[in-house]
Amino acid sequence: MQLKEECGIFGVYNKAGIKQLGNLVYFGLFALQHRGQEAAGIAINKDGEVELQKNLGLLSDVFKDSPMISKDGDIAVGHVRYSTTGSNTVENAQPLCARYYKGSLTIAHNGNICNAPQLRKELSEQGAIFHSTNDSEIIAYLIASARIHTGSIEEAVKAIIPKLQGSFSLLVMSPRKLIAVRDPHGIRPLCMGKIDDTVIFASESCALDTVGAQFVRDIKPGEICVVTKDDMFSIEDYCGKESALCIFEHIYFARPDSIIDGQSVNSARVQAGKMLAKQHPVPADVVIGVPDSGLSSAIGYSIESGIPYGVGLIKNRYIGRTFIQPSQAMRERSVALKLNVLKANVEGKRVVMIDDSIVRGTTIANIVKMLKRAGATEVHVRISSPEFLFPCFFGTDIPDQDQLACIKYTHDELVRKIGADSLGFLDKDTVDQIAPDSRLHFCKACFTGQYPCPVPKRVNKLEFE
Amino acid sequence: MQLKEECGIFGVYNKAGIKQLGNLVYFGLFALQHRGQEAAGIAINKDGEVELQKNLGLLSDVFKDSPMISKDGDIAVGHVRYSTTGSNTVENAQPLCARYYKGSLTIAHNGNICNAPQLRKELSEQGAIFHSTNDSEIIAYLIASARIHTGSIEEAVKAIIPKLQGSFSLLVMSPRKLIAVRDPHGIRPLCMGKIDDTVIFASESCALDTVGAQFVRDIKPGEICVVTKDDMFSIEDYCGKESALCIFEHIYFARPDSIIDGQSVNSARVQAGKMLAKQHPVPADVVIGVPDSGLSSAIGYSIESGIPYGVGLIKNRYIGRTFIQPSQAMRERSVALKLNVLKANVEGKRVVMIDDSIVRGTTIANIVKMLKRAGATEVHVRISSPEFLFPCFFGTDIPDQDQLACIKYTHDELVRKIGADSLGFLDKDTVDQIAPDSRLHFCKACFTGQYPCPVPKRVNKLEFE
Amino acid sequence: MQLKEECGIFGVYNKAGIKQLGNLVYFGLFALQHRGQEAAGIAINKDGEVELQKNLGLLSDVFKDSPMISKDGDIAVGHVRYSTTGSNTVENAQPLCARYYKGSLTIAHNGNICNAPQLRKELSEQGAIFHSTNDSEIIAYLIASARIHTGSIEEAVKAIIPKLQGSFSLLVMSPRKLIAVRDPHGIRPLCMGKIDDTVIFASESCALDTVGAQFVRDIKPGEICVVTKDDMFSIEDYCGKESALCIFEHIYFARPDSIIDGQSVNSARVQAGKMLAKQHPVPADVVIGVPDSGLSSAIGYSIESGIPYGVGLIKNRYIGRTFIQPSQAMRERSVALKLNVLKANVEGKRVVMIDDSIVRGTTIANIVKMLKRAGATEVHVRISSPEFLFPCFFGTDIPDQDQLACIKYTHDELVRKIGADSLGFLDKDTVDQIAPDSRLHFCKACFTGQYPCPVPKRVNKLEFE
Amino acid sequence: MQLKEECGIFGVYNKAGIKQLGNLVYFGLFALQHRGQEAAGIAINKDGEVELQKNLGLLSDVFKDSPMISKDGDIAVGHVRYSTTGSNTVENAQPLCARYYKGSLTIAHNGNICNAPQLRKELSEQGAIFHSTNDSEIIAYLIASARIHTGSIEEAVKAIIPKLQGSFSLLVMSPRKLIAVRDPHGIRPLCMGKIDDTVIFASESCALDTVGAQFVRDIKPGEICVVTKDDMFSIEDYCGKESALCIFEHIYFARPDSIIDGQSVNSARVQAGKMLAKQHPVPADVVIGVPDSGLSSAIGYSIESGIPYGVGLIKNRYIGRTFIQPSQAMRERSVALKLNVLKANVEGKRVVMIDDSIVRGTTIANIVKMLKRAGATEVHVRISSPEFLFPCFFGTDIPDQDQLACIKYTHDELVRKIGADSLGFLDKDTVDQIAPDSRLHFCKACFTGQYPCPVPKRVNKLEFE
């Protein structure tokens, strides 16, 4: 599956005085690398002075031999980023670090502001200039403007929330404060942990585990959580709306070892597999998953169906780095550059193959072809999510509707196109049931078209009047 | 498990005239990257002229933006390398490309020549000079010397085989020939495939799959397989000895989707898990594997024991790149930088945990601690290989005997040291049974101390008289 | 001499449709590299879309293998930069490229805005955020704010000029216009040239020669020169003030082959040498210059005095690149890393040595010592400028007054400190006479303390409330 | 002038225990950078262990951030290299560092071995393999072979000298000795200096000055100078032949501040200018030199003729780095990318222009054109060397005879081709007189065709039988 999440964020108020704070932030982001592989940055605040390093590339490339990794600090914010082609420039890397009326202002953002074009236009009409095309700069301007008329940074943050439509899990660092904000629907995850007195915010709980922090709680939808040297308090004026956590965090984006708003991501995937087995049973000899995200659902399908689980596809562990393009000669053979079939496990067998979604359908068609070539007698594709039918405006890179396989083709056409013997999706009316432990409701707009907040007719990130 | 394989090799005689041969070699090596991550190189022979690029680093780093990737060619040889600290210099990267009496001579080597120090001494006494400390240069000298008195490159290769003690899967490229050689015991794997008329040699069959080649056969122990423009023939004078394929290729080194001398690597691992379940049964609630090599054995243990298989540990997919060192503060918390526990699957459960081997025992102790901290009520460690007791002289980086956990501690001490509730190794007398389909016998010297050929008392790679 | 100029700028409105505009800008900047070696950038406007590349380093480093060098374009702006330590970050590199109310806005600036802190404060109080600490961002904000209430970009530029105190030669590129501005005193140079219909602006005329452009004229102090697709016109509302071109452009900064406001730089240096010979004659055997800036004055001294000119010091041509620091052992020997004496020309001779200025006095002391060690019987130092006594606020990196040799020491002390047999400076009352062809008067504030416009009591570039 | 020297060498036996020996070698090579800009390397011997770093590029690029620069050591050898296209690979960079019969063997070579192809063939026939195409590897083999039958490294060196035809200034470092060798004709320079007890060898004396060493003497043609921990002695068996120092060292290659075999390089150039004025007088208003090598001869011409010396051409100081290619549009304008005319000094004047040589004649034609365009009324070209008529086999990159302007054209044709008003070369019968202080005679073969030793009919560096 090739959808891409927009970002991962990580912030620390180092009250316990942990040495080499940069190292802690690095490893926190390292656990969130799956949320963004195109740019990375860390800003460290020491005695009110902020030092920033950010660049395009994976964390390990950006911070190789960097002195940032061993720097001490009082507060720090980090970011990993995915971006669509064209705006993947260093200017768009985060955190954004600026100076304003009251000194330094650092922002790290995960999500997508739907009304960014209007906001950018309004700010421009007041004389604003923009160095980047990302939402963080808009947010920084709004805060800077609001700060003039308010008594504190947190009041400025509070004042601008109503202006922002869309999804945002946000970290705001001022010279002496760290503020975590989650949009009123809680579309993107954000949680809090601690190491002794040191307070940590992270997109996912796996980052807390990675740095040895204790999980405290999730940030509530609409919550503005303010950490100062001596205090921590929340502004909850925007809490209480209908929650709408992106269900794709459970299906694909998040790491399986994360727990989001009470729900284990891995358990949700196993449960999706079990439900698929009930909704789309089929006689078969082995259940396999497309690595990595399909593996847990395949185990679930196996448990529910009684069909043995097996490893059917091996993924090259070194994928994910700079990927050199295959030549025409290689592409024509549609060869197994990223995935290879484990022939011994599928030859002469009826195979149930679980993947997390179908976007354009081309990848899955290649995999089915590989399995058949390796001797699978039947390939039954099961998808651990419903059909993709609608665009996402909240930070998921779903292509235009006219490229979505489930829109372009009827079910039967799609089965033929991917070369499967049968195809079953998770029922969209039951998709909530994959996450029974979740304290939040879900945004399922990509399946249903029902968005939790107003969305633009058409969003063009680079558009500027 | 932290043992390291020495190398992977890949060679092509491009009779079918596939365009952009460099691209094919790149992806062939890419499939072998797990065999060596410290250096990589490709040599392409076009009309008898050899162009070489090699450097320290992963393939994708060495060949990023490289024109080699799109070069055409007649013959090509590639190499990925692991090396011990101290000799990890660019001079030691392979292929080795030299000019001798008869033009160019290119060599790629996987294995370890045990009598290298004596050979180097003898050659020096005849006036040889050495640019590197690797075995390939010795082999090149021997071939160059032998070629003076023989009528062809293949006869020169044949003449020197008796001088080489140890393991060697070897590719030798002359201006117009490509020769594949496997040592008489077949200690390291080597197989042949083809794309139309183009002949390919690779350390493992997964590389053939990756480039869309058809598997032809394994090179026989002792075979010298010679490919020319119009012909292909084998010299089998050294065939027929007792074979001794390194059993660790099946246990750990090779990719699970490879088939070596008739045996599926994945099936061998599943079988080891099944045998473990019989040899060391224990009542438990879940079987988990240490990723990636322990996963298949865990499935085998689950099948045989009936205890459900689950995902218990999540590995950070971005490990394997430049790894930034954790700070003292991070190390003290012995945190989950590389692996994280999937708490939902182990909390309150009796866990059977499968790993492939115990070298020093420190890693496994950390994992057991993580599992217990996550709420596992019991942790029963099962190892899909026998106890490591003897050094390897054939290309595996096993530490000195005094650092091996199975030598330093009694079984009971080791159980306590790693914090497990029980510990079971695969029985060394039955280890051959994990690979019932293998056409070769095995070298199990690291478990038994019985070596297939003479070995030195002590090998120091950098030693030079 | 170690003073550093702040910047060089180069802009093109490519009406003649010259191909590969990036190449032309590159070589234009290459001719201005002496004005700034710490950062470089080029912005190319093609059909209203601006592409920018900038980074720390010399031009050849920043644009090595860059596709920018072969890009076509309609309008382009380039910049080379020198900066004081601490703010030498990529954020401060120019051109600055932002988006505002009316689309893209690109600025390249040579000079120093004295009231930058106040302007930054005022803008901040209106909600502005700053990504950098350079003046260009302030100018961009002022233009963006002014543009809201004005009918065109040139009117916006016109509106802000009165707010800017200090020196500024400025290029402003909007989607369809290129505007060149020179501050009302004309402190920094700026000239115009053309290649067919293509209009070019450059800090110095040597850049016009380098790209094969014809020199048209200098931009007048206070002039706003606006180039559009079909037109070119000037706004001269601010012209007519007392001009004050930095005289150090002639003494040191500018390239000798440039002609600034009618005056040949080389001729000014020769003339300074002639005047020195009259003001400070001395019997001697040879006149030598400290390369490169002292050479022309040495020729002038020779002509006037009749003492033969000779090459006495050889400069390592490779200085100017990454300079590796000499070890303690090397420094103790105060060895000839950058300059070496040409012994044959000074041994046994009475030497007149010309340099352009004395800042701290340490470099010149080393050179005198080298000459004496090589056998010079007398060394008479002549300086082709008056004594440095006052700080510069217009873009020259003169150190604090308490480090200036001419303030710390009396004349006699200074002679002893540098080890010379005599020392003569150009008389400050006659310094204007070095440039008889100049159409502008000069700023000589560093010698006289009389500044052409209000200056701050103390400027701290990084200061921010 | 665009001829290229092959190499510079620098070696130290650090008896005085100077700290950070790498730093000293770096700056010694830095002073020799003009002798080779394409590759650089340093080998440091500490307690018999040799560490080597070398790569393509300028010294400052190769050793940027390198730990080599601060390493201590007992003996060290460094090299800067120029090479013809095609063999400019890292394998060919020097020093060459190998291990042989008696331990480490490090070689740095300046010169060209004419019989290299035959030697390479002979060695190959005995089983040698070659990693590079440079002569050093041949020399290393010869020494390694000779060492078997001799009692010491210096005897081995002595034994091989008769086998080497051509030019060689050579440094050989064994675990405990440093040996400097100059070929029997002394074709390339080599001198000795010292800092306290530390012995230094360098291609030119300017490198001794640069590191603060005292000049001791030149190495004699044919001398083998051996330095050990406690001793220093010379083998002079090959001394006493007719000397033949390359006269182009004085005309162009060497730095003007060097003194070679008693002769100041700068004085030789001034003298050449004086002789030119006598041999080819002309009425004129100004004498200018083509920087940098023509400047001293221009001063000489001025002194002798009484015509004033002036600066007529300004060279961009940043040339010499990575040079980005001008676009077609730039080339068509044949613009002043590297040199610019100082118009004020040539406009309306009759100009005598001195350059050091004419190879193809294209560069000089462009310069004459620039001068005329700038308003010079006459341009009289004077060349401070005789006509180039014959190839060089001793390390100078002179193109094939059919590309040499003095062969292709008659004198009158050449005058027209370069657009000059007159053209005069230094008379080949008097060229020796430029260096009256030289203790050595000269090789003038490129002017006369009379070579000091046998030369091949045709040399192809990459040729291999």
Side-chain angles (χ1 to χ4, degrees), chain D residues 366-410:
Chain D
N366 279 334
I367 297 172
V368 172
K369 192 190 287 179
M370 282 168 61
L371 290 169
K372 294 250 169 159
R373 204 190 292 135
T377 56
E378 296 174 15
V379 177
H380 301 277
V381 174
R382 296 295 177 267
I383 302 297
S384 60
S385 66
E387 287 92 339
F388 257 129
L389 298 172
F390 298 93
C392 175
F393 297 99
F394 306 129
T396 304
D397 180 37
I398 297 179
D400 286 348
Q401 278 180 294
D402 57 9
Q403 295 185 50
L404 292 175
C406 294
I407 286 190
K408 285 168 75 178
Y409 306 108
T410 65

Side-chain angles (χ1 to χ4, degrees), chain B residues 52 54 91 96-103 105 121 124-133 137 140-141 144-145 148 462-465, chain D residues 52 54 91 96-103 105 121 124-133 137 140-141 144-145 148 462-465:
Chain B
L52 169 68
K54 60 182 175 179
E91 284 79 17
L96 173 142
C97 219
R99 296 186 76 79
Y100 82 124
Y101 180 45
K102 288 293 183 180
L105 180 65
K121 191 183 168 201
S124 298
E125 288 168 354
Q126 294 154 28
I129 63 174
F130 290 93
H131 293 66
S132 73
T133 55
E137 200 175 4
Y141 264 116
S145 296
I148 299 167
L462 291 170
E463 188 179 324
F464 202 93
E465 199 169 352
Chain D
L52 169 69
K54 59 181 175 181
E91 283 78 17
L96 173 141
C97 218
R99 296 185 77 80
Y100 82 125
Y101 180 44
K102 288 294 184 180
L105 180 65
K121 190 183 168 202
S124 297
E125 288 168 355
Q126 295 154 29
I129 62 175
F130 290 92
H131 293 65
S132 73
T133 55
E137 200 175 6
Y141 264 115
S145 294
I148 298 167
L462 289 171
E463 187 181 324
F464 202 94
E465 198 167 354

Side-chain angles (χ1 to χ4, degrees), chain D residues 112-115 118-119 161-168 453-455:
Chain D
N112 192 59
I113 306 299
C114 298
N115 60 332
Q118 297 96 298
L119 292 171
I161 299 289
K163 299 187 182 177
L164 302 174
Q165 288 173 9
S167 61
F168 48 96
C453 66
V455 294

